Amino acid sequence: MNVPDPVARSRALPAPGTTAPAEAAPALVAVGHGSRDPRARATLTRLLDRVRELRPGLDVRLAHIELNTPLLDDTLARVAADGREAVLVPLLLAPGHHVTHDLPAAVAATPALRARVAEPLGAHPLLVEALAGRLAEAGWAPEDGSSAATGVVLASAGSRDPRSGAEIRRIAALLGERLGGVPVVPAYASAATPTVAEAVRALTARGRHRVAIASCFTAPGLFATRAAAHAPWIAADPLGAHPALARLVLHRYDRARTSRTTTPARELAAI
């Protein structure tokens, strides 16, 4: 009798955008922060609809850390009750307390569930594609990348975790390269500096009077709205249901699902 080679099976796993065998795949639990802005939940729902279109048959579920339903604990309890495994994909841009503590703790509180926590969306070409696409929709033209008058502020939520700031700086550097070398200054809505207003002033002091705001948020909310209000020129919409972001969600899911080095969420919760 032939015994299937598990290594060969892992090499044969489908790439993002292709159909996975639903009977073998853990549920993809996409975890947003939550917002009082009613547009936020609707936006994430549209994003996950795109994910389902890319991976027909995959069990894709939405969860929130706070403020919106379904809450993460409730979603994980339902996955466990269904007898499924799960991969939690944070719809967050960088490492921080939510990724390293809240998500693993929620898994640890659901002992019947086998689950892993994927990396946050982070500094990836697909994220940069989505950021550049939103800027183009707002009015950014290819020639703006070579203009001595233009600059970009990459606005994000902010965190006291130094790993978060380092990741946002990497995203800013990649976006600057994508836009043709224009300076991209990271800025934060809370917990870190510079603020968006400070970053705009810094670029203006360098003679960059046409400053665009790139919205490094997955969905509309208070922080994204405040950041856009500081735009001297154009402000991009949050990433939302951009096709590249949907592909990135699947990439993070696949990486966590197949990686031999990913730490299970229950072990992370004990660190």
Side-chain angles (χ1 to χ4, degrees), residues 49-172:
D49 285 343
R50 282 193 179 274
V51 172
R52 294 183 184 98
E53 290 171 2
L54 290 170
R55 190 69 60 83
L58 180 63
D59 184 357
V60 179
R61 310 193 192 195
L62 177 62
H64 299 90
I65 296 169
E66 58 183 3
L67 299 176
N68 292 120
T69 57
L71 289 170
L72 178 57
D73 290 347
D74 295 334
T75 297
L76 296 185
R78 284 194 289 271
V79 174
D82 291 341
R84 304 295 301 276
E85 297 182 19
V87 173
L88 280 62
V89 179
L91 300 180
L92 304 168
L93 281 302
H97 186 77
H98 292 313
V99 175
T100 60
H101 179 270
D102 290 344
L103 272 61
V107 173
T110 314
L113 179 68
R114 292 184 59 190
R116 291 176 179 264
V117 177
E119 297 175 11
L121 300 174
H124 190 279
L126 287 170
L127 180 67
V128 175
E129 180 181 336
L131 287 166
R134 292 300 188 215
L135 280 169
E137 292 168 1
W140 183 275
E143 57 269 23
D144 291 320
S146 58
S147 170
T150 58
V152 176
V153 171
L154 180 70
S156 67
S159 170
R160 293 183 178 86
D161 190 320
R163 295 169 297 177
S164 178
E167 191 74 6
I168 297 300
R169 288 191 293 273
R170 284 191 286 270
I171 295 171

Side-chain angles (χ1 to χ4, degrees), residues 194-212:
T195 66
V196 174
E198 289 168 345
V200 169
R201 288 195 294 269
L203 282 168
T204 301
R206 294 163 56 182
R208 303 277 177 170
H209 301 290
R210 299 177 74 230
V211 179

